[in-house]
Amino acid sequence: MGILVIGSVALDSVQTPFGKKDDVLGGSATFFSLAASFFSKVDIVATVGEDFPKRYVTMFKNKGIGTAGLTVSKGETFRWKGRYDYDLNTAHTISTHLNVFKDFDPQVPKNLRAPDFLFLANIDPDLQYRVLQQVKRPRLVACDSMNYWIDTKRKSLERLLDKIDILLLNDAEARQLSGESNLIRAAQLVISFGPKAVIIKRGEHGVLYFSKNTHFVAPAYLLETICDPTGAGDTFAGGMMGYLSRSKAVNDENIRKSIIYGSIMASFTVEDFSVNRLLEISKKDIQGRFKHFRSITKY
Ligand code: AMP
């Protein structure tokens, strides 16, 4: 039933209209694993530098997240610096320092090589591919990426797309990858690269799901307070895959429900900086929002 994730574990510096934080815990694998841990057992494959605060590793462990594949490498932790203006849907990257990820050779610990679900969270697509090659084909492989990798490693990304089940992207990235501005056509083109389905994240406008036979539209959970959207996409993926990994079958009905759980988890992350909200909430809070979501979308 376990989920394996490879992605970044990072120190982020983020500025939004509502405040500024430096060197706070971030990274695609971080948000993903914390969100998924509410539903399922998760193990991380990633690396951090010698400067990475030990208390964060302890926090992962306390949340039941497996850290056997989280190594400490010589050098500095991956750092991302970004800014959001009043349009919180668009992240402006100020700098990306790969640091220890530059020479990272991911090794999946032997006892984790048969995961039920695999999430290739946003990181160099060559690293995502190397992890995929080390594991027995999981029941579901999903993958995230971003403009940075579409720009700099397109070929590597295309090689990967042929081997996965679900690709998650935001709307700008779906347009960039497909070269098509209409999102329905963009999704069809992305599916023609290999994945069985694509999920297009549209921030406060919700999520679109497309597979060969069906599509599904989900609004975002309505919030009065949005502080920092960093990690919303990864948190969405964690909630979605976490819920799905607990379901008996990966079918259309369960995928739809998992998308709602993903949206609910993301709604918590954006209410504060870094992972602060994910560390405060309980399963009861998640269920409360799930029920409320149902009531406001029913007609
Ligand atoms: P999201 O807002 O869900 O798209 O993800 C934000 C997280 O992605 C931040 O915590 C960053 O540390 C991380 N991130 C930003 N750029 C990259 C990159 N090029 N590769 C891997 N992770 C990244």
Side-chain angles (χ1 to χ4, degrees):
M1 222 169 65
I3 305 177
L4 187 69
V5 55
I6 172 168
S8 55
V9 172
L11 295 174
D12 288 345
S13 295
V14 184
Q15 184 167 6
T16 82
F18 313 105
K20 187 172 179 290
K21 295 278 175 218
D22 285 322
D23 279 344
V24 290
L25 179 61
S28 54
T30 300
F31 287 104
F32 177 90
S33 58
L34 280 170
S37 70
F38 284 92
F39 302 88
S40 207
K41 175 78 180 80
V42 199
D43 289 277
I44 300 183
V45 174
T47 193
V48 291
E50 293 148 314
D51 57 347
F52 190 70
K54 289 196 176 52
R55 66 177 187 281
Y56 293 149
V57 180
T58 308
M59 181 276 290
F60 284 132
K61 287 184 180 153
N62 290 343
K63 289 277 166 188
I65 296 167
T67 56
L70 179 65
T71 57
V72 179
S73 304
K74 214 161 179 236
E76 282 184 52
T77 299
F78 175 99
R79 275 179 172 72
W80 178 75
K81 191 170 185 182
R83 188 193 87 234
Y84 299 83
D85 299 328
Y86 274 99
D87 170 11
L88 292 169
N89 285 337
T90 310
H92 302 279
T93 294
I94 297 167
S95 60
T96 303
H97 295 290
L98 295 178
N99 296 336
V100 288
F101 272 106
K102 245 186 257 161
D103 303 313
F104 182 47
D105 183 18
Q107 297 299 327
V108 180
K110 275 212 173 78
N111 59 334
L112 301 177
R113 291 192 184 162
D116 199 20
F117 278 31
L118 174 65
F119 187 59
L120 306 167
N122 178 27
I123 193 70
D124 183 334
D126 286 329
L127 298 184
Q128 293 175 314
Y129 192 79
R130 268 187 251 161
V131 164
L132 183 59
Q133 281 182 314
Q134 287 174 40
V135 299
K136 188 167 159 265
R137 181 59 163 93
R139 204 149 63 92
L140 187 93
V141 180
C143 170
D144 194 357
S145 195
M146 73 181 296
N147 51 3
Y148 186 84
W149 303 116
I150 302 172
D151 274 343
T152 59
K153 291 245 172 158
R154 192 182 178 101
K155 280 258 152 334
S156 303
L157 190 58
E158 283 178 7
R159 170 177 74 162
L160 185 70
L161 292 185
D162 199 33
K163 304 261 178 297
I164 63 159
D165 300 306
I166 303 180
L167 177 67
L168 294 97
L169 291 171
N170 69 32
D171 41 7
E173 291 154 359
R175 291 187 171 109
Q176 184 187 358
L177 182 62
S178 63
E180 172 62 60
S181 74
N182 178 280
L183 288 179
I184 301 176
R185 282 204 290 268
Q188 285 162 349
L189 273 164
V190 171
I191 287 176
S192 76
F193 296 154
K196 294 192 186 83
V198 56
I199 290 179
I200 300 182
K201 298 168 284 177
R202 303 172 67 223
E204 62 181 329
H205 305 299
V207 165
L208 306 174
Y209 169 82
F210 295 92
S211 70
K212 281 190 184 119
N213 315 314
T214 179
H215 64 269
F216 177 58
V217 180
Y221 185 81
L222 284 179
L223 285 175
E224 248 176 82
T225 310
I226 301 181
C227 180
D228 172 17
T230 308
D234 308 305
T235 309
F236 169 88
M240 189 204 117
M241 285 191 74
Y243 175 81
L244 206 51
S245 74
R246 294 281 297 273
S247 316
K248 281 210 180 84
V250 178
N251 56 26
D252 201 38
E253 191 189 332
N254 289 333
I255 288 177
R256 286 175 183 230
K257 226 167 157 188
S258 75
I259 286 173
I260 304 302
Y261 272 104
S263 306
I264 302 281
M265 295 310 296
S267 76
F268 289 111
T269 288
V270 303
E271 286 180 318
D272 202 344
F273 284 94
S274 182
V275 298
N276 296 349
R277 278 294 278 150
L278 289 179
L279 297 182
E280 278 171 8
I281 59 168
S282 66
K283 286 186 179 162
K284 210 168 146 222
D285 297 314
I286 298 169
Q287 278 317 114
R289 281 200 179 172
F290 185 80
K291 275 198 192 124
H292 185 231
F293 196 105
R294 199 167 244 168
S295 73
I296 58 172
T297 53
K298 200 167 153 192
Y299 66 91

